[in-house]
């Protein structure tokens, strides 16, 4: 597929802002999305093991339902966070995304319904475990397998999208058009690396969990120590496996000595040391976020370079700047995004620390201020929305 | 040679690809509407519980919230992006037009969506764990954020029908595209439906609480009945306004379909008015199985035909009255520098201007005519029509059962090719391509 065709597949409406901004937002939101994908799969996978141990081991009896709850929340969050990179990739890499979707149309459909079945089964697993049913491990395992399968399908879409030289051969092998949408392709090393990240993310989460509960008197020091050790062991082992696979992936892409690849390796080494020492897991998590951003950046550089080799450059996308909608997003992101999420996280932190008593948000100045500010931001937002809408309508229909 | 940015075709046998999108869309509408309606209902209940110091209402909210988490937020949040995925496979340039006009609107909706999804967990799990005033504040913000998601998506789906004024075509502005004459009636129509749906689910939850707390179940069933009547009335009222803000092309099809629509809506209104009256006056008669059945009735008899109708009414376009359902740009949009592609296709033919057509099919020969005809039918017709002989979704073979190739070519050339059917795209092709499609269809009909 040459540059002329790739550029022709771009949307003729152009993009409403600088492409680099969409690229940056893609890298950022993909990193956030994948963090919760990894946490969901990790906590779910370990909970399945826990479900086989919880009858005879008091530590696992406590940890397993917490892991299931973590998985449940993480799936919801990964879905909502996943919407953003899906949106931004369609803006600047629309030729890639839309071709892939058509080539693998049936898998796209299967992906959606597999995700629904997998997540609904996860709730079933949650309730079965809560009720102490013997079938819980089996239900959890099937749900886990379905959700892993969804991850593999997403991998397929990503891998197909960066091989424009093969699109026509996949669509019309030997000149015979195949509209079945059954194309399925994978890159084993890249997939193995992505899946391996489940282990260190889970390990660092367990360290966070242990640190968070260590201030609560209703959890024994024995339990705190158990989760701490488990976290450290998992994080260190997982980081070593991921590091090896990352190097293999970079060798395959011929990028091992690139700046971003070296920076990622350095980040992993720092993470490894921090996880091993486990002095402050919250700081380790900050470094983990940086490494996740670097990995997201590596993916994007691979795609950008591959497409540039085909003569496709996202920075030359036609621009029709649309200031009103751009400003709306930026202000909403800044005001509602920051204040609103901070309001809920503040409550979650306080409730989690409160050892079963009711948290009085009215006596906590920060919660009170954030809650009131969120409410007024939303009221103001609605007011502006209707005023803007009425003005536009009057302008276009009455004047 | 002029080429166009046409993508490969994905075709789902028997049903056609649009059907996949339709089913995902209908499921999404049911659950997303329920969740927004429930957010408004929660604000009302939380307000009442706080002011009247009603601890029992929190128990109800928790049960309702768990139901919402499992169904609305699992099914709603997956089928939301699911529509993107399936629409992309079925109609890539249609979804691309929406993305490239409204990316920031969608990104803004995403911010609301993040708040909503984290918020619903907080709303449900923090009951009894935070003070009631803070919880009340949370429910208010949750309700506003949920309505915000509707406020943002409504302009996009209204634009799918039409921009609502000519301004968009000259300015290319997202605001002009978003706030058309159709936007607000559409918004309030859906708010009415959301309120009704939240009450329909509310009746189901109340009926499930009959054993553990009969007086509360009765009180809530009655209240939900009143809320549902209010929502239903709002839906009907704004539906009438909405119908009057549709584009000219829709009215042609609507005039044919309206008698049937009115009859089916009257029956539905009668059935649901009776159901809601039962909830208000005889709440104990509402059994869980009846309440669950009524949810299914709404999905099958209300939403599915409603969404199918909306999809039909925007034909021949899929977005903004410039992208035809067969992915070809049907008119100029000077504000965005977009040019109509109908003329390029007419001059060169679809096979020559589509990048994904293999070289062996670019020139029609007696040997490849059937294969070329099938591919052309997939490219030009399969977005709306099933191509299989006994296909389920507007099958071509049933619409054109004849074996007279000449008659088929004449119809395509003189009717479709001139744009004489208002709800069909104007498909102008060179003679050999019309001939190939007709040859393939005649062969299919044998």
């Amino acid at each position: 597929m040459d540059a002329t065709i790739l550029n022709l597949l771009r949307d003729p409406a152009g993009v409403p802002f600088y492409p680099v901004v969409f690229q940056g937002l893609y890298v950022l939101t993909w990193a956030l999305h994948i963090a919760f994908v990894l946490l969901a799969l990790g906590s779910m996978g370990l909970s399945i093991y826990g479900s086989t141990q919880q009858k005879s081991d008091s530590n696992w009896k406590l940890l397993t339902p917490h892991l299931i709850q973590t998985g449940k929340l993480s799936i919801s969050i990964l879905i909502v966070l996943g919407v953003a990179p899906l949106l931004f990739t369609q803006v600047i890499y629309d030729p890639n995304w839309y071709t892939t979707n058509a080539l693998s149309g049936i898998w796209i459909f299967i992906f959606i319904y597999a995700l629904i079945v997998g997540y609904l089964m996860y709730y079933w697993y949650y309730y079965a475990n809560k009720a102490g049913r013997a079938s819980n491990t089996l239900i959890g395992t099937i749900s886990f397998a379905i959700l892993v399968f969804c991850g593999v399908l997403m991998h397929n879409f990503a891998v197909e999208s960066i091989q424009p030289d093969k699109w026509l051969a996949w669509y019309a092998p030997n000149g015979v058009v195949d509209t079945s949408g059954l194309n399925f392709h994978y890159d084993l090393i890249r997939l193995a690396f992505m899946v391996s990240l489940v282990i260190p993310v889970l390990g660092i989460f367990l360290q966070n969990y242990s640190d968070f509960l260590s201030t609560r008197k209703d959890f024994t020091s024995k339990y705190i120590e158990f989760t701490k050790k488990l976290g450290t062991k998992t994080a260190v082992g997982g980081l070593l496996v991921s590091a090896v696979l990352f190097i293999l992936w970079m060798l395959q892409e011929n990028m091992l000595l690139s700046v971003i690849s070296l920076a990622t390796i350095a980040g992993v080494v720092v993470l490894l040391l921090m996880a091993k020492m486990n002095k402050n897991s919250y700081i380790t998590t900050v470094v983990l976020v940086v490494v996740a951003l670097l990995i997201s950046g590596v993916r994007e550089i691979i795609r950008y370079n591959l497409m540039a080799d085909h003569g496709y450059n996202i920075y030359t996308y036609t621009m029709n700047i649309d200031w009103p909608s751009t400003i709306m997003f930026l202000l909403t992101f800044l005001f509602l995004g920051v204040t609103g999420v901070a309001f809920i996280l503040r409550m979650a932190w306080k409730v989690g620390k409160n050892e079963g008593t009711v948290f009085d948000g009215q006596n906590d100045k920060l919660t009170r201020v954030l809650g009131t500010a969120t409410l007024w931001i939303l009221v103001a937002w609605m007011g502006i929305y209707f005023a803007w809408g009425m003005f536009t309508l009057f302008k276009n229909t009455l004047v | 040679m002029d080429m166009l940015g046409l993508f490969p075709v994905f075709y789902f046998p028997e049903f056609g690809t649009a059907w996949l999108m339709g089913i995902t869309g209908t499921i999404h509408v049911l659950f997303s509407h329920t969740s927004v309606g429930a957010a408004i209902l929660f604000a009302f209940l939380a307000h009442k519980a706080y002011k009247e110091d009603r601890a029992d209402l929190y128990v109800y909210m928790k049960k309702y919230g768990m139901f919402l988490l499992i169904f609305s937020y699992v099914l709603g949040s997956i089928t939301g992006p699911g529509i993107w995925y399936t629409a992309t496979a079925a109609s890539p340039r249609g979804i691309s037009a929406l993305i490239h006009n409204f990316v920031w609107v969608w990104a803004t909706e995403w911010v609301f969506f993040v708040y909503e999804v984290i918020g619903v967990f907080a709303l449900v799990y923090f009951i009894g764990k935070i003070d009631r005033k803070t919880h009340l504040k949370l429910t208010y913000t949750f309700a506003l954020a949920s309505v915000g998601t509707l406020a943002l998506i409504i302009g996009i789906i209204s634009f799918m029908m039409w921009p609502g004024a000519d301004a968009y075509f000259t300015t290319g502005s997202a605001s002009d595209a978003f706030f058309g004459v159709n936007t607000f009636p559409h918004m309030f129509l859906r708010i009415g439906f959301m309120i009704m749906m939240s009450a329909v689910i509310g009746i189901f939850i109340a009926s499930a609480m009959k054993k553990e707390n009969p007086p509360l179940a009765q009180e809530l069933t009655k209240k939900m009945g009143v809320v549902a009547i209010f929502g239903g009335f709002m839906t009907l009222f704004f539906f009438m306004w909405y119908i009057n803000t549709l584009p000219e092309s829709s009215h042609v099809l609507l005039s044919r379909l309206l008698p049937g629509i009115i009859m089916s809506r009257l029956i539905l209104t009668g059935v649901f008015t009776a159901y809601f009256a039962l909830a208000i006056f005889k709440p104990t008669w509402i059994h869980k199985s009846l309440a669950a059945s009524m949810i299914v009735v709404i999905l099958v008899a209300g939403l599915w035909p409603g969404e199918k109708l909306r999809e039909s009414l925007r034909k021949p376009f899929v977005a903004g009255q410039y992208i035809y359902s067969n992915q070809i740009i049907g008119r100029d949009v000077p504000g965005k520098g977009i040019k109509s592609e109908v003329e390029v296709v007419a001059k060169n033919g679809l096979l020559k201007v589509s990048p994904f057509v293999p070289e062996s099919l670019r020139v029609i020969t007696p040997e490849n005519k059937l294969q070329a005809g099938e591919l052309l039918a997939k490219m030009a017709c399969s977005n709306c029509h099933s191509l299989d002989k006994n296909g389920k979704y507007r099958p071509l073979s049933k619409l054109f059962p004849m074996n007279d190739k000449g008659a088929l070519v004449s119809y395509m050339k003189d009717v479709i090719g001139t744009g004489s059917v208002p709800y069909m795209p104007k498909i102008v092709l060179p003679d050999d391509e019309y001939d190939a499609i007709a040859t393939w269809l005649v062969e299919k009909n044998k």
Side-chain angles (χ1 to χ4, degrees):
Chain A
M1 196 100 330
D2 63 26
T4 318
I5 301 294
L6 287 170
N7 289 320
L8 206 60
L9 290 170
R10 286 173 167 176
D11 196 283
V15 291
F17 208 62
Y18 296 92
V20 69
V21 174
F22 295 110
Q23 190 181 29
L25 284 168
Y26 173 83
V27 170
L28 171 70
T29 54
W30 186 86
L32 293 172
H33 164 67
I34 200 68
F36 282 94
V37 171
L38 299 169
L39 181 57
L41 292 178
S43 51
M44 190 176 186
L46 189 61
S47 78
I48 292 168
Y49 172 75
S51 72
T52 63
Q53 303 295 311
Q54 60 188 355
K55 274 188 186 151
S56 55
D57 188 317
S58 60
N59 287 332
W60 283 108
K61 193 176 178 187
L62 204 50
L63 181 59
T64 304
H66 286 188
L67 287 170
I68 297 176
Q69 185 78 326
T70 305
K72 194 174 83 179
L73 262 161
S74 299
I75 297 173
S76 246
I77 297 171
L78 78 88
I79 292 167
V80 69
L81 291 178
V83 171
L86 179 64
L87 172 66
F88 298 127
T89 200
Q90 288 178 77
V91 178
I92 45 177
Y93 290 107
D94 41 338
N96 307 59
W97 187 247
Y98 297 139
T99 304
T100 302
N101 270 238
L103 291 173
S104 293
I106 202 73
W107 293 116
I108 289 284
F109 190 67
I110 290 170
F111 170 75
I112 297 303
Y113 288 90
L115 193 54
I116 288 175
V117 173
Y119 197 11
L120 282 177
M121 281 195 75
Y122 195 84
Y123 268 93
W124 185 9
Y125 170 48
Y126 166 76
Y127 282 112
N129 193 70
K130 209 172 172 181
R133 286 197 200 114
S135 57
N136 63 342
T137 306
L138 178 66
I139 299 163
T141 308
I142 296 171
S143 167
F144 181 65
I146 294 173
L147 294 172
V148 169
F149 172 64
C150 290
V152 174
L153 285 179
M154 273 313 291
H155 166 79
N156 161 51
F157 307 142
V159 164
E160 271 182 22
S161 77
I162 52 172
Q163 300 184 66
D165 49 329
K166 294 180 182 157
W167 290 344
L168 191 55
W170 287 338
Y171 181 54
N174 305 315
V176 180
V177 174
D178 174 12
T179 55
S180 64
L182 276 165
N183 274 288
F184 186 92
H185 305 278
Y186 56 88
D187 175 342
L188 206 54
I189 292 179
R190 181 177 166 139
L191 178 63
F193 166 67
M194 291 296 170
V195 172
S196 76
L197 290 171
V198 162
I199 313 167
V201 167
L202 174 69
I204 292 168
F205 166 76
L206 284 171
Q207 290 184 334
N208 284 167
Y209 171 85
S210 170
D211 280 354
F212 183 80
L213 292 182
S214 62
T215 57
R216 281 181 55 160
K217 293 184 184 74
D218 48 347
F219 288 88
T220 63
S221 56
K222 190 183 138 224
Y223 179 69
I224 301 296
E225 197 52 31
F226 164 73
T227 51
K228 194 172 188 162
K229 273 188 181 162
L230 183 64
T232 305
K233 217 160 71 180
T234 314
V236 172
L239 280 166
L240 288 171
V241 173
S242 296
V244 172
L245 287 166
F246 180 75
I247 290 169
L248 288 175
W249 182 34
M250 288 301 96
L251 282 170
Q252 178 183 278
E253 299 294 336
N254 208 13
M255 273 182 66
L256 187 61
L257 298 177
S258 68
V259 175
I260 194 157
S261 169
L262 293 174
T264 309
I265 293 167
V268 170
V269 172
V270 173
L271 260 185
L272 193 62
L273 293 171
M274 290 178 82
K276 177 85 184 145
M277 290 187 289
N278 193 12
K279 286 204 172 141
N280 185 333
S281 70
Y282 301 132
I283 299 175
T284 313
T285 306
V286 174
V287 179
L288 178 69
V289 171
V290 174
V291 172
L293 283 166
L294 286 169
I295 293 169
S296 184
V298 168
R299 282 179 87 248
E300 177 51 23
I301 286 174
I302 290 174
R303 174 163 67 170
Y304 179 84
N305 288 340
L306 273 166
M307 293 308 291
D309 288 347
H310 284 89
Y312 182 89
N313 185 344
I314 55 166
Y315 303 130
T316 60
Y317 213 122
T318 308
M319 262 197 296
N320 283 310
I321 294 191
D322 191 81
W323 283 108
S325 63
T326 306
I327 292 168
M328 173 178 72
F329 167 71
L330 290 174
L331 292 182
T332 308
F333 185 73
L334 205 65
F335 284 97
L336 177 65
V338 174
T339 315
V341 172
F343 171 48
I344 294 176
L345 291 184
R346 173 74 181 173
M347 279 190 291
W349 181 271
K350 286 289 185 183
V351 167
K353 287 278 183 190
N354 238 25
E355 293 176 31
T357 54
V358 173
F359 163 62
D360 189 353
Q362 291 308 298
N363 275 336
D364 180 61
K365 195 181 170 194
L366 189 57
T367 308
R368 204 175 57 242
V369 170
L370 285 171
T372 308
T374 306
L375 187 57
W376 282 111
I377 287 169
L378 281 160
V379 170
W381 192 95
M382 281 292 169
I384 294 166
Y385 171 88
F386 280 105
W388 181 17
M390 306 265 257
F391 169 76
T392 310
L393 259 179
F394 288 156
K395 172 179 75 78
N396 291 340
T397 57
L398 299 180
V399 180
Chain B
M1 171 65 65
D2 291 314
M3 292 287 264
L4 301 177
L6 295 168
F7 290 93
V9 177
F10 161 58
Y11 177 69
F12 190 76
E14 298 295 328
F15 294 91
T17 316
W19 179 84
L20 300 183
M21 194 170 62
I23 193 164
T24 309
T26 305
I27 296 171
H28 178 69
V29 167
L30 178 74
F31 290 105
S32 61
H33 282 47
T34 302
S35 63
V36 178
I40 301 169
L41 187 69
F42 267 38
F44 165 71
L45 288 173
H47 178 82
K48 201 170 166 58
Y50 178 75
K51 291 282 171 197
E52 296 171 11
D53 195 19
R54 294 271 306 269
D56 54 344
L57 286 180
Y58 287 103
V59 178
Y60 176 73
M61 282 166 66
K62 185 138 192 167
K63 269 196 190 304
Y64 197 140
M66 282 312 293
F67 181 88
L68 267 188
L69 270 179
I70 297 172
F71 290 97
S72 278
Y73 282 88
V74 172
L75 293 164
S77 64
I78 297 175
T79 49
I83 297 175
W84 264 356
Y85 280 97
T86 46
T88 302
S91 193
R93 292 182 102 196
I95 205 79
S96 177
L98 299 178
I99 295 281
H100 288 85
N101 276 292
F102 298 116
V103 53
W104 290 130
V105 178
W106 253 316
T108 309
E109 194 203 4
W110 174 73
V111 178
F112 277 86
F113 194 27
V114 169
Y115 186 77
E116 202 189 3
V117 168
I118 307 176
V120 72
F121 279 100
L123 195 84
V124 175
Y125 285 108
F126 291 176
I127 289 177
K129 289 182 179 164
I130 55 171
D131 67 285
R132 289 182 180 177
K133 195 169 180 188
T134 307
H135 189 266
L136 181 64
K137 218 183 264 183
L138 179 63
T139 53
Y140 286 159
T141 58
F142 178 66
L144 282 166
S146 292
V147 174
T149 61
L150 169 73
L152 287 159
I153 198 66
I154 203 73
I156 301 176
I157 53 177
S158 297
F159 176 80
M160 283 170 81
M161 181 66 78
W162 75 306
D166 284 338
Y168 164 72
F169 295 111
T170 47
T171 63
S173 144
S175 320
D176 291 334
F178 190 91
F179 293 111
V181 290
N182 187 236
T183 308
F184 287 123
H186 195 183
M187 182 180 186
F188 289 107
L189 157 73
R190 285 187 185 264
I191 287 182
F193 182 72
M194 286 164 171
I195 292 173
M196 189 185 85
M197 264 320 293
S198 71
V200 170
I201 302 282
I203 293 173
F204 173 72
I205 309 286
S207 68
M209 291 174 74
K210 259 166 138 177
K211 275 187 193 158
E212 56 189 271
N213 193 341
L216 180 68
Q218 276 189 44
E219 181 200 340
L220 287 167
T221 305
K222 281 184 176 194
K223 277 199 170 68
M224 293 302 131
V226 175
V227 172
I229 292 259
F230 171 72
F233 173 76
M234 202 172 154
T235 309
L236 285 178
F237 182 83
F238 285 104
F239 179 72
M240 287 185 273
W241 182 18
Y242 170 77
I243 287 288
N244 284 305
T245 58
L246 294 174
E248 283 287 321
S249 55
S250 307
H251 286 283
V252 177
L253 195 63
L254 201 59
S255 60
R256 271 179 45 196
L257 301 173
L258 209 53
I261 296 169
I262 290 174
M263 185 47 75
S264 65
R265 297 291 124 163
L266 275 176
I267 294 170
L268 266 184
T269 306
V271 169
F272 276 92
T273 306
Y275 175 58
F276 298 147
L278 199 66
I280 296 168
F281 299 110
K282 292 284 176 194
T284 49
W285 289 14
I286 306 259
H287 189 264
K288 208 161 69 174
S289 55
L290 171 67
S293 308
M294 294 310 275
I295 299 172
V296 178
V297 172
I298 289 194
L299 179 70
V300 177
L303 274 178
W304 175 245
E307 290 303 307
K308 250 173 48 179
L309 174 72
R310 198 170 61 85
E311 186 256 348
S312 303
L313 291 181
R314 68 169 190 263
K315 292 287 154 36
F317 300 100
V318 283
Q321 285 202 318
Y322 73 90
I323 304 269
Y324 277 144
S325 46
N326 60 14
Q327 309 298 293
I328 290 165
I329 295 173
R331 63 164 291 175
D332 293 348
V333 183
K336 289 278 189 194
I338 297 171
K339 298 258 180 244
S340 166
E341 296 170 345
V342 175
E343 299 74 22
V344 178
V345 174
K347 188 176 149 203
N348 304 296
L350 263 178
L351 295 175
K352 290 199 178 71
V353 299
S354 305
F356 285 93
V357 170
E359 284 306 317
S360 58
L361 289 179
R362 290 213 187 270
V363 177
I364 298 172
T365 63
E367 292 75 35
N368 71 11
K369 194 187 267 187
L370 274 178
Q371 208 188 337
E374 182 181 359
L375 181 60
L376 282 164
K378 279 181 178 167
M379 291 163 79
C381 319
S382 74
N383 199 278
C384 306
H385 298 279
S386 169
L387 303 184
D388 303 277
K389 197 169 180 180
N390 296 309
K392 305 279 182 288
Y393 201 70
R394 304 180 191 129
L396 276 187
S397 288
K398 278 195 183 142
L399 292 168
F400 304 102
M402 59 277 241
N403 290 319
D404 181 351
K405 198 171 88 174
L408 275 172
V409 170
S410 297
Y411 180 81
M412 283 190 278
K413 213 169 163 176
D414 301 334
V415 181
I416 308 292
T418 54
S420 306
V421 184
Y423 48 84
M424 287 284 294
K426 184 178 172 184
I427 309 172
V428 195
L429 298 174
D431 287 347
D432 61 341
E433 293 199 348
Y434 280 137
D435 185 61
I437 297 176
T439 307
W440 168 79
L441 192 53
V442 166
E443 188 63 28
K444 195 92 189 164
N445 287 343
K446 276 182 187 167

